[in-house]
Amino acid sequence: MIRVLVVDDQPLVRQAVRDILSDNGDIRVVGEASNGREAVAATAREVPDVVVMDIRMPELDGIAATEQICAGRSGGTTRVLVLTTFEEDEYIVAALRAGASGFIGKGAEPDDIVRAVRTIHLGESLLSPAATRSLVERFVHQPAPRATVWEDKTLARLTEREREVLLLVARGLTNQEIAADLVISPHTAKTHVNRIMTKVDARDRAHLVILAYESGLVSAGP
């Protein structure tokens, strides 16, 4: 059973998300919150598996609340899925840096929201197509990093195969898609991704994407 906390300052949105998630036998909504402060308190009290978090809220916004939740979680128990109308790069990067594991728009289909919760619960990361485009476009307009990837001590720890896998992760490919591209098993692809996260001290796949672009390993050009 996936235990979920729904956070949004609009009661109708909270009810809609609750209804969408509650229609699934493997998901149980254990609480609601209308602002960031309530979200942090409810997370400490209920210890949900996934927090579905809005960004713009009174008292404490979703990004600040995400940062507090992720900083205080024990053993990575609670993960945050940002559900918002604001799929803009400044919010995406801020949310990912705060510790969010996923980002999806409120315009998504109900099945996509359910799938996102399940994906986050499994320890994967998820970015909506709009969020991915926005994140990539952010790096298109940034100057190239001063140091090359070969000069970076952290990325220098990666093997040639691990660099290949990281490039595919940065393109948004799943483990299944990476396996097909490199002609390896999905289990092997997952093992490579886990080893990469350990070597570069990444929180999750979304964090890997940021590191790949910031390091210069991959660029967001045409």
Side-chain angles (χ1 to χ4, degrees), residues 77-182:
T77 302
T78 299
R79 294 181 174 272
V80 177
L81 170 66
V82 174
L83 177 64
T84 182
T85 55
F86 303 100
E87 296 181 82
E88 301 168 5
D89 58 359
E90 62 179 296
Y91 294 113
I92 297 165
V93 174
L96 293 177
R97 288 194 184 285
S101 295
F103 205 106
I104 191 168
K106 287 183 179 178
E109 294 294 326
D111 286 348
D112 291 333
I113 296 174
V114 173
R115 191 177 303 113
V117 167
R118 289 173 176 154
T119 298
I120 296 302
H121 177 247
L122 289 173
E124 301 285 348
S125 63
L126 179 145
L127 292 175
S128 67
T132 300
R133 286 195 300 272
S134 186
L135 181 62
V136 169
E137 287 169 2
R138 177 186 180 91
F139 288 98
V140 169
H141 297 99
Q142 285 185 349
R146 298 178 65 181
T148 69
V149 63
W150 302 103
E151 296 169 334
D152 187 281
K153 293 182 179 179
T154 300
L155 290 180
R157 301 172 190 165
L158 303 182
T159 65
E160 289 294 332
R161 173 60 87 182
E162 288 168 346
R163 287 193 182 90
E164 286 184 279
V165 172
L166 180 53
L167 285 169
L168 296 177
V169 170
R171 285 171 46 195
L173 273 64
T174 65
N175 288 343
Q176 292 281 354
E177 292 168 336
I178 291 172
D181 191 277
L182 298 179

Side-chain angles (χ1 to χ4, degrees), residues 3-16:
R3 305 173 73 255
V4 178
L5 175 70
V6 178
V7 184
D8 197 290
D9 62 338
Q10 299 182 41
L12 287 178
V13 173
R14 293 200 305 274
Q15 185 61 52

Side-chain angles (χ1 to χ4, degrees), residues 165 169 174-180 182 184-196 205:
V165 172
V169 170
T174 65
N175 288 343
Q176 292 281 354
E177 292 168 336
I178 291 172
L182 298 179
I184 57 179
S185 72
H187 175 74
T188 299
K190 182 177 182 180
T191 298
H192 280 310
V193 172
N194 288 339
R195 285 177 178 169
I196 293 169
R205 293 173 78 100

